[in-house]
Amino acid sequence: MGVTDLLIFYKQQWESFISSMGKVDRMFNYLNRHWIKRESGNSKKEVYEIYPLGLVLWREHLFKHLKERLTAALLELIEKERNGERIDTSLVKSVINSYVSLGLTKEKPQETSLVIYKNGFEEELLHQTEVYYTQESSQFIITNSIVDYTKKVESRLAEENHRVDQYLHRDTREELITRCETVLIKRHQEALWEEIPQLLQHEKVDDLARMYQLLNCVVNGLLPLRNELEKHVQREGLKAAERVMEEAEKDPKIYVEALFAVIRRYNDLVSTAFANDAGFVAALDKACRRFINDTSIAKKAGIEGPSRTPELLARYSDRLLKKSAKNPEEAEMEQTLTNVMTVFKYIEEKDVFMTFYSKSLAKRLIQGTSASEDIESNMIAKLKSACGFEYTAKLQKMFTDISVSRDLQDNFKSFVTKLNVNLGCDFSVLVLTSGSWPLTPPTTNFNIPKELSPCETQFQQYYTKQYGGRKLHWLHQQSKGELKSAGFANKAVYTFQCSTYQMGILLLFNEKSRMNYVDIRESTQLVDDVLKGTLKTLLKVRVLLCDPKLSAENPSLTEKHRFAVNPNFKSTRLKININIRPESERTNDREHTLGGIDDDRRLQIQAAIVRIMKMRRELAHQNLLAEVLAQLRPRFNPKILAH
């Protein structure tokens, strides 16, 4: 008798038997409910109801003698199915159900245990499964690629799950799948791990997702995948930053967008391939934090100091928030600011970002170049949400000062009108709270031109009258104005947008056609460094001429130089901005800003130590270090020097 014939015969006889026993059981229902119920209470007697008794007799007189042959036949059919042959699954299911039904005991005759099923079939099935897949996997992985092997494993695991659903008992699933995972995945995990760098390099999302699902079945199987992802993202981030570093100094947008492109690319990968697994999200965050705060790329470009990201991100934000014909639409602007904050959250030296951001915000507010106050407020709200109220308190105070200054300006105009005073020019002023604005006091004296003196004098009187306890300090280096000039040969009337220092120099030529360096210095009271820098900007735009001329051999101004207005000045524009800071001045400003950051950090460290010790009174040195670091880490990472 063949394997299938045996199982078919057994199935037919089994189904006929349990059908008949069901009828007999119903015929002797009275016996079950009375005599058998009474006799079964005697533990010395082995008494069953009619239906369970039939199962016991089947088990003892038939099944015990056929069990090994039945099990072998079942396993042979299952192996055929694994080899791709079609089998009668209903036949297998019926025979296996008999194993389960025959597992009754005297103690609980109405309940069936899985003793017969597990001892007589499941153990053999698990052993055969392990042997089968050990042989198959060893041969397949040698002759095929790792990607093909993972597809094979995925297919095999799905087949085994389907097999349980079709004809195996549900309790078999866990142990069967565990054995398959051990043989197919755990024993070959090193080979799978070796393939990970290639999959990441070529961003094989489907293959990575499959690899993740398989390795997730093994204890610590995902650890190498997470580590490799972290290293890969860090490498790609550093490459992206290095490619654009030279251009970034001129256009920070290129740098920020390059960083964000890496973050978005691998965030999508983690979301798609790794199901936003918390471990992989943490690995991505750690990698992003490393390449965004890396200082080695800037050093290769010859730039010393902290990571360039905080400063470049602040400069990019300044360009976004400044008036420009290239400003994006509102919806696009919101998304762009969100992208900026995505990069910002990885920055460790947030105090560097805030220093540069507050300086650029101050310039936008003072010069009136903000694209929109609503957008500015939106950006500050995002920073506040990320870092807390204290981080943005000074920024909000700056906006308050601008609002108060508008009211003050209106009241001053009313004051001047009542006095019937002619100021001689349009005049506006901003009164800024000392300590809230990142503005430095002037480095030079300055004699304000007589044309502007009435404005300053009248406002000083008005403000002193309104706020007797306050004192004004004029920041002429931050001021600017417009001058109209009609003295050129082409008869054109030009409007020059210039700084107050430039105005002070140009207005001198209303009285004299030529002036030497010493006369200008005495009239303006500007120190040499400031005066020379201001004169050079006027010479550069050719509003003034000097004698002798500057050259590559003699680029410096001296007391022997004489200056005059250029009568042949011409321009295609009637309104010309000549208030252009020289590159050297911007470089010095950056170095001064970075130096100020170090000083601020020392004060913050000292303040943190004082706060902690006032609260703790007494604390071990290591514990004090830990608490100071915890307090300061949201702003920057203090350096711990070894002694």
Side-chain angles (χ1 to χ4, degrees):
M1 183 180 289
V3 171
T4 306
D5 295 335
L6 173 63
L7 294 177
I8 291 173
F9 177 78
Y10 180 85
K11 175 190 175 185
Q12 292 172 345
Q13 298 305 314
W14 166 254
E15 290 177 349
S16 175
F17 177 75
I18 60 174
S19 175
S20 300
M21 284 306 303
K23 295 174 183 176
V24 173
D25 185 65
R26 287 192 294 276
M27 290 171 57
F28 291 95
N29 185 39
Y30 181 83
L31 187 66
N32 286 337
R33 288 189 291 113
H34 295 283
W35 186 85
I36 293 177
K37 185 177 181 180
R38 184 180 70 247
E39 292 298 317
S40 63
N42 186 351
S43 60
K44 295 180 180 180
K45 295 182 180 180
E46 190 171 347
V47 180
Y48 295 94
E49 292 185 4
I50 300 301
Y51 185 81
L53 178 61
L55 296 179
V56 170
L57 292 173
W58 179 277
R59 183 181 68 191
E60 298 299 326
H61 297 285
L62 179 64
F63 181 77
K64 277 187 177 180
H65 304 289
L66 291 175
K67 182 176 67 173
E68 291 183 2
R69 290 176 62 192
L70 289 172
T71 300
L74 288 170
L75 294 177
E76 187 174 336
L77 280 185
I78 292 173
E79 184 168 343
K80 285 183 178 180
E81 186 182 38
R82 285 172 174 161
N83 289 332
E85 298 181 30
R86 293 180 64 85
I87 65 169
D88 185 353
T89 56
S90 63
L91 173 62
V92 177
K93 183 181 178 70
S94 180
V95 176
I96 287 175
N97 284 343
S98 76
Y99 279 72
V100 177
S101 300
L102 295 173
L104 49 85
T105 61
K106 177 182 180 299
E107 291 75 19
K108 295 182 179 180
Q110 300 300 328
E111 300 178 13
T112 56
S113 70
L114 296 177
V115 176
I116 301 296
Y117 172 78
K118 287 186 175 293
N119 295 338
F121 173 73
E122 186 181 88
E123 287 183 2
E124 291 296 325
L125 171 68
L126 295 174
H127 175 70
Q128 185 215 49
T129 300
E130 194 168 344
V131 171
Y132 180 87
Y133 283 127
T134 297
Q135 183 178 3
E136 182 187 69
S137 62
S138 299
Q139 292 175 351
F140 191 91
I141 204 168
I142 293 173
T143 56
N144 294 272
S145 67
I146 295 298
V147 171
D148 289 338
Y149 177 74
T150 59
K151 291 177 181 177
K152 183 73 172 178
V153 173
E154 185 181 47
S155 172
R156 283 303 197 184
L157 291 176
E159 289 174 11
E160 294 302 325
N161 272 301
H162 183 60
R163 191 163 288 119
V164 175
D165 294 334
Q166 277 194 308
Y167 51 76
L168 299 177
H169 193 274
R170 61 180 179 274
D171 284 7
T172 303
R173 187 188 306 274
E174 183 177 352
E175 184 61 27
L176 177 64
I177 298 302
T178 299
R179 292 279 184 100
C180 291
E181 289 169 350
T182 300
V183 173
L184 297 173
I185 304 172
K186 188 172 184 178
R187 291 182 185 175
H188 300 285
Q189 63 185 5
E190 287 81 4
L192 300 182
W193 290 340
E194 289 174 3
E195 186 70 13
I196 292 170
Q198 287 297 320
L199 297 180
L200 287 170
Q201 186 65 38
H202 297 97
E203 295 188 28
K204 302 288 187 180
V205 178
D206 292 340
D207 295 333
L208 285 168
R210 190 180 305 108
M211 186 76 75
Y212 166 78
Q213 294 294 338
L214 297 181
L215 292 175
N216 196 27
C217 302
V218 180
V219 177
N220 294 326
L222 292 176
L223 185 59
L225 180 54
R226 283 198 299 267
N227 293 340
E228 194 58 45
L229 172 71
E230 184 179 328
K231 288 188 277 189
H232 177 75
V233 173
Q234 185 176 348
R235 282 196 302 270
E236 291 300 305
L238 290 173
K239 286 179 185 176
E242 190 170 4
R243 282 195 296 268
V244 300
M245 180 53 72
E246 291 185 7
E247 300 175 52
E249 294 304 314
K250 296 178 181 178
D251 186 2
K253 177 182 178 181
I254 298 173
Y255 179 81
V256 175
E257 288 185 345
L259 296 187
F260 180 72
V262 175
I263 296 171
R264 180 176 55 191
R265 186 166 117 213
Y266 289 103
N267 189 59
D268 291 344
L269 178 67
V270 169
S271 175
T272 305
F274 307 131
N276 272 330
D277 184 294
F280 286 85
V281 172
L284 174 62
D285 287 346
K286 188 185 288 187
C288 292
R289 193 168 288 109
R290 283 181 177 171
F291 77 74
I292 284 175
N293 294 287
D294 189 89
T295 59
S296 61
I297 298 174
K299 287 180 180 177
K300 288 179 184 177
I303 304 169
E304 295 296 328
S307 166
R308 297 289 290 138
T309 305
E311 180 186 347
L312 292 173
L313 187 63
R315 286 171 52 192
Y316 175 54
S317 302
D318 181 45
R319 292 195 179 189
L320 277 176
L321 299 170
K322 192 180 287 185
K323 282 180 185 175
S324 170
K326 298 179 180 179
N327 284 132
E329 296 295 329
E330 186 175 346
E332 187 182 348
M333 175 66 83
E334 175 63 26
Q335 183 58 52
T336 305
L337 293 181
T338 301
N339 297 347
V340 168
M341 292 306 299
T342 300
V343 178
F344 172 80
K345 78 174 183 177
Y346 293 113
I347 292 175
E348 291 178 349
E349 296 177 319
K350 290 183 169 60
D351 58 335
V352 176
F353 172 86
M354 178 51 67
T355 300
F356 284 99
Y357 183 85
S358 61
K359 279 182 172 291
S360 60
L361 174 62
K363 289 178 183 177
R364 292 196 299 276
L365 294 178
I366 291 172
Q367 297 172 6
T369 57
S370 285
S372 165
E373 286 193 12
D374 290 339
I375 296 175
E376 293 278 9
S377 299
N378 187 16
M379 182 62 180
I380 292 175
K382 290 179 183 293
L383 293 171
K384 181 180 177 181
S385 176
C387 299
F389 171 79
E390 186 180 349
Y391 188 72
T392 59
K394 288 185 177 181
L395 302 184
Q396 291 173 322
K397 186 65 174 71
M398 289 159 67
F399 271 95
T400 302
D401 284 350
I402 294 297
S403 178
V404 171
S405 292
R406 289 186 187 129
D407 296 336
L408 193 64
Q409 179 69 28
D410 293 338
N411 294 336
F412 174 65
K413 286 182 178 178
S414 300
F415 171 77
V416 171
T417 303
K418 286 181 182 179
L419 293 180
N420 197 24
V421 175
N422 182 15
L423 297 179
C425 64
D426 292 332
F427 172 75
S428 62
V429 65
L430 295 174
V431 179
L432 313 177
T433 305
S434 176
S436 297
W437 292 72
L439 304 174
T440 55
T443 57
T444 177
N445 293 324
F446 178 60
N447 276 347
I448 190 166
K450 63 181 181 180
E451 291 85 350
L452 302 179
S453 182
C455 302
E456 187 172 307
T457 303
Q458 287 295 330
F459 186 80
Q460 186 84 40
Q461 292 175 0
Y462 164 75
Y463 194 80
T464 303
K465 183 178 178 181
Q466 293 291 322
Y467 307 99
R470 300 182 186 177
K471 187 177 181 181
L472 291 176
H473 297 278
W474 295 88
L475 303 179
H476 294 116
Q477 79 276 18
Q478 299 290 343
S479 305
K480 65 176 184 176
E482 292 184 354
L483 288 178
K484 287 189 176 181
S485 177
F488 300 110
N490 59 4
K491 306 296 183 182
V493 178
Y494 294 108
T495 300
F496 296 116
Q497 297 173 314
C498 48
S499 69
T500 307
Y501 293 159
Q502 289 174 325
M503 292 174 68
I505 294 171
L506 290 175
L507 288 172
L508 294 176
F509 291 93
N510 281 338
E511 298 178 359
K512 295 181 181 180
S513 59
R514 298 178 67 85
M515 295 188 70
N516 61 37
Y517 179 88
V518 176
D519 291 338
I520 295 174
R521 183 175 60 190
E522 289 178 356
S523 298
T524 60
Q525 290 296 300
L526 292 172
V527 297
D528 284 334
D529 288 344
V530 176
L531 178 58
K532 288 177 181 179
T534 307
L535 285 169
K536 281 185 177 181
T537 61
L538 296 173
L539 293 170
K540 185 175 182 180
V541 296
R542 299 190 61 77
V543 174
L544 294 184
L545 300 176
C546 71
D547 182 29
K549 292 182 178 180
L550 298 181
S551 62
E553 293 78 16
N554 298 301
S556 300
L557 293 173
T558 66
E559 293 184 354
K560 296 179 181 179
H561 277 89
R562 294 178 61 81
F563 302 88
V565 175
N566 179 12
N568 297 317
F569 175 83
K570 60 182 179 179
S571 173
T572 56
R573 296 181 179 180
L574 294 179
K575 196 170 188 176
I576 308 160
N577 180 20
I578 62 173
N579 186 16
I580 302 170
R581 296 177 64 199
E583 184 64 33
S584 59
E585 191 176 330
R586 288 199 290 268
T587 303
N588 293 336
D589 187 38
R590 177 180 181 271
E591 293 174 355
H592 175 75
T593 301
L594 292 175
I597 290 171
D598 290 336
D599 294 337
D600 290 342
R601 286 182 175 180
R602 290 190 194 96
L603 294 175
Q604 289 185 51
I605 293 171
Q606 292 170 8
I609 294 171
V610 170
R611 282 196 303 270
I612 292 168
M613 293 311 298
K614 286 179 79 173
M615 181 173 63
R616 301 290 188 184
R617 299 292 180 184
E618 185 175 329
L619 199 62
H621 181 258
Q622 288 301 321
N623 294 338
L624 175 60
L625 275 179
E627 291 204 28
V628 169
L629 291 174
Q631 282 196 16
L632 298 177
R633 193 167 286 119
R635 296 292 186 87
F636 64 95
N637 281 335
K639 295 178 182 177
I640 301 175
L641 302 177
H643 293 285

